[in-house]
Amino acid sequence: MYEAFAVAIVVFLTVGGQELLGLTMLGRPIVVGPLIGLLLGDLPTGLTIGASLETIFMGIVNIGGASAAEPGLASALAVAFAINMHGGLGVALPLAIPLGIIGLQIKTLLYVAVVGPFASRFDTLAAEGNEKGIVRLHFGLWGLQWFLYALIPFFAMLVGSSATQAALKLIPAVIVHGLTVAGNVLPAVGMAMLMKILWDKNISVFYFLGFLIVAYFKIPLIAVAVMGVIIAILIAQRDFQIHQLQAKPAAASAVDHSGESKSQQEDDDFFG
Amino acid sequence: MSKITAKLSAEEKKMLRQTYWRSFTLYSAVTPAKQGASGFEYSMMPWINHFYKNAADKKDALVRHMAYFNTNLAMSPFIMGVTASMEKQNSEKADFNAESINAIKTSLMGPLAGIGDSIFWGVLRVIAGGIAISLAKSGNFLAPIIFLLIFNIPVQLVRWYGGQLGYTLGSSYISDLYEKGLINIMTKAASIVGLMMVGAMTSSMVKLSVKWNMVMGGKTILKTQDMLNQIFIGILPLGITLLCFWLLRKKNVSINWLILGTLVIAILLALVGIV
């Protein structure tokens, strides 16, 4: 019971904690492993296995919700089972990989199905000007999501390693797949909301330009941004000249404007 | 580095500190549809409350910052600083175009996410991990602590000074532009970059492909996704995003229904094996 509790708390505070504390890497195997080792009375094993799992999961980072596995839960359970069975990496490794994949699926499930639907609740609260409500929901959802997530290691420790693996196989693959698909499609709603803010008939073609160059030429976002800035500067320069012409009486000569506009255009460049 | 904040009032410095601490929680309630919107809102609250005394203006600002927000965490305080400087202008000047705030936010978050992810996740984390692993394998118990320090010290410095830099840069440039009557030109320019970024993000973040193929007599005669790709790459994600946009803008469908509908349809399509 103590062990189940300890592992659950570690998962809650590291994997969940890093979401609250600015993705500060608390949930990486190199941190979780030794911590579990310390609490279960075998720090050297925790440290060695944590280091090995860090090597294996090195390529796996959670960027924008897209990932291949959740290393924190995997490390916590793999280290705990290895210590209980007096085994080393040989015991931990075969457990860690499937646990990491399952951990990610459960994380996705919570992200899409539990927290996801609250996105519109946040909008309602904002429209009501209910700041306290927003703050409560902001932290409440964090607590709820990671409490639920921490239940997995808790029960996994109670029932043991073989039973855990058997139980996890029972989750219908089609549900997991459906939620993954939904998680990949849902950003469309966010994009639509941004478009609602930015959309203007005259400049809407640039949305399609951005889409096109990424879809066909696989250009990184940073390059798209630089291209966007260049286009924006060109258009701002033209608009600026029109602005100058309208502002001054027709008598003013065109030569004056181009000289005078230099320094002002530099201001445009920064925000372009 | 104290030069950055030399011209700021004590109140502004205090709010910058609050933003630094609050922005740690950017992704506490991250959702697929809006990512870190609630965290961004939480980080902006001190500014909103300071600049807007009128309840209606305050609500507008709260709604504004509940929009989709996603960037690298280390870069977020910089964007919050720029945003705060624009909110200040907006609160002081009656004819300031509030839409330019989200336009600039959106044009900044994509590129900064790209830079931040590659520097901090790609390079710094790997260096920190590499050093810590070798320490741990030689039995050094300090390995996890050293790992966290190598990663977090540079990140926290960028977060701390980024907010100050964003706010001061934003303040000087934006008030200057405003005085010259160029804010509308700037808004349009920012919206162009913003829209291009949203288009690019639609392509890289919204993902949907068809798995179902037409099979006749045990032979695949039509690979649906290949056929769709020949028509236009990314036609499905683009179509879905435009559909959501149309529903949102023309039909006034609430995002509640959009999210729920997407969820249900995705699961149903997966159940019957189409996607």
Side-chain angles (χ1 to χ4, degrees):
Chain A
M1 193 67 188
Y2 160 75
E3 289 178 348
F5 210 67
V7 176
I9 291 281
V10 167
V11 169
F12 185 77
L13 291 181
T14 58
V15 182
Q18 67 181 354
E19 302 281 333
L20 186 68
L21 299 173
L23 305 180
T24 34
M25 297 290 157
L26 292 174
R28 297 298 302 181
I30 187 82
V31 180
V32 174
L35 208 53
I36 294 282
L38 190 68
L39 289 175
L40 300 194
D42 191 349
L43 182 53
T45 305
L47 191 65
T48 342
I49 298 179
S52 302
L53 291 178
E54 182 67 44
T55 323
I56 293 159
F57 285 117
M58 183 73 99
I60 292 169
V61 273
N62 174 14
I63 295 175
S67 181
E70 200 286 284
L73 174 76
S75 310
L77 280 177
V79 170
F81 286 145
I83 290 174
N84 277 353
M85 289 185 250
H86 302 286
L89 191 62
V91 175
L93 193 58
L95 290 169
I97 304 290
L99 281 171
I101 295 166
I102 289 156
L104 180 73
Q105 287 172 345
I106 294 167
K107 196 178 157 203
T108 309
L109 194 141
L110 295 173
Y111 165 68
V112 177
V114 176
V115 186
F118 282 97
S120 54
R121 179 72 193 134
F122 272 122
D123 281 330
T124 316
L125 289 171
E128 288 167 357
N130 185 348
E131 289 179 60
K132 282 208 178 105
I134 293 170
V135 175
R136 264 200 299 268
L137 193 59
H138 180 61
F139 289 103
L141 285 175
W142 175 81
L144 174 70
Q145 183 180 9
W146 298 106
F147 170 75
L148 292 175
Y149 193 69
L151 288 177
I152 306 160
F154 183 77
F155 287 111
M157 286 303 290
L158 281 186
V159 298
S161 62
S162 53
T164 303
Q165 277 177 313
L168 289 171
K169 280 187 187 134
L170 290 177
I171 302 175
V174 66
I175 294 291
V176 173
H177 175 63
L179 283 168
T180 312
V181 171
N184 285 335
V185 175
L186 276 175
V189 180
M191 294 302 131
M193 286 187 292
L194 286 179
M195 286 155 75
K196 202 179 162 194
I197 296 166
L198 298 168
W199 199 264
D200 183 276
K201 258 204 323 257
N202 297 321
I203 57 170
S204 59
V205 287
F206 292 105
Y207 171 78
F208 296 99
L209 180 64
F211 186 89
L212 179 92
I213 56 179
V214 171
Y216 276 86
F217 307 118
K218 309 273 174 258
I219 292 177
L221 286 186
I222 177 87
V224 177
V226 174
M227 246 162 106
V229 169
I230 292 170
I231 294 171
I233 288 172
L234 292 175
I235 290 178
Q237 280 174 345
R238 195 204 58 177
D239 287 351
F240 180 72
Q241 280 160 358
I242 295 170
H243 173 81
Q244 291 287 81
L245 288 173
Q246 283 171 344
K248 290 198 176 176
S253 80
V255 184
D256 287 347
H257 306 315
S258 56
E260 179 184 306
S261 61
K262 275 281 184 286
S263 68
Q264 289 173 327
Q265 276 164 13
E266 272 160 24
D267 296 335
D268 284 357
D269 295 2
F270 179 76
F271 282 104
Chain B
M1 293 297 276
S2 61
K3 275 181 211 149
I4 300 178
T5 54
K7 282 187 193 164
L8 300 183
S9 70
E11 183 72 15
E12 286 171 317
K13 284 181 195 163
K14 184 182 164 217
M15 289 189 288
L16 280 170
R17 277 199 301 277
Q18 285 177 312
T19 299
Y20 168 81
W21 291 110
R22 284 171 177 238
S23 64
F24 272 105
T25 74
L26 184 61
Y27 294 124
S28 290
V30 60
T31 63
K34 310 187 79 172
Q35 298 294 328
S38 69
F40 193 90
E41 179 93 291
Y42 179 59
S43 310
M44 289 307 294
M45 275 178 188
W47 305 95
I48 294 173
N49 284 316
H50 180 69
F51 293 141
Y52 300 104
K53 302 300 173 202
N54 172 329
D57 292 342
K58 199 178 276 189
K59 277 180 197 170
D60 284 347
L62 286 172
V63 170
R64 190 154 53 237
H65 295 303
M66 202 46 102
Y68 180 97
F69 185 79
N70 193 13
T71 194
N72 181 278
L73 229 144
M75 298 301 194
S76 59
F78 177 81
I79 302 182
M80 288 161 187
V82 175
T83 309
S85 74
M86 298 191 69
E87 288 294 352
K88 183 177 181 220
Q89 298 291 326
N90 190 40
S91 68
E92 287 167 357
K93 281 137 190 168
D95 56 345
F96 192 90
N97 184 351
E99 281 175 15
S100 64
I101 300 175
N102 267 338
I104 286 184
K105 229 170 92 180
T106 312
S107 63
L108 283 175
M109 67 189 185
L112 288 182
I115 298 169
D117 285 349
S118 48
I119 295 178
F120 297 112
W121 295 88
V123 180
L124 189 60
R125 185 187 57 88
V126 174
I127 294 172
I131 294 171
I133 287 167
S134 60
L135 283 175
K137 292 218 161 139
S138 61
N140 191 329
F141 296 136
L142 291 176
I145 294 162
I146 289 172
F147 169 77
L148 290 175
L149 289 179
I150 296 176
F151 180 79
N152 282 304
I153 289 174
V155 170
Q156 296 319 317
L157 288 175
V158 169
R159 284 170 34 72
W160 179 258
Y161 290 111
Q164 300 180 352
L165 192 69
Y167 187 71
T168 41
L169 277 182
S171 301
S172 53
Y173 278 91
I174 287 159
S175 57
D176 196 35
L177 284 175
Y178 177 82
E179 273 147 29
K180 287 172 185 157
L182 301 176
I183 209 86
N184 285 335
I185 295 177
M186 186 197 72
T187 303
K188 186 178 164 193
S191 299
I192 289 172
V193 184
L195 266 182
M196 254 179 93
M197 291 311 299
V198 176
M201 286 192 287
T202 306
S203 182
S204 60
M205 287 175 190
V206 184
K207 294 192 191 79
L208 183 66
S209 57
V210 177
K211 269 202 316 197
W212 178 83
N213 294 323
M214 193 180 278
V215 181
M216 206 173 265
K219 271 203 297 188
T220 307
I221 55 165
L222 178 70
K223 285 196 170 156
T224 321
Q225 188 57 42
D226 288 355
M227 185 200 71
L228 288 173
N229 283 348
Q230 280 165 11
I231 300 170
F232 189 84
I233 294 178
I235 190 169
L236 288 180
L238 181 64
I240 285 176
T241 310
L242 290 174
L243 179 68
C244 288
F245 175 52
W246 179 74
L247 289 172
L248 209 57
R249 186 175 150 108
K250 299 278 180 197
K251 298 280 159 191
N252 281 322
V253 175
S254 79
I255 48 164
N256 230 341
W257 286 111
L258 277 182
I259 292 171
L260 203 67
T262 316
L263 206 62
V264 171
I265 292 169
I267 292 173
L268 285 180
L269 288 178
L271 267 176
V272 295
I274 291 178
V275 292

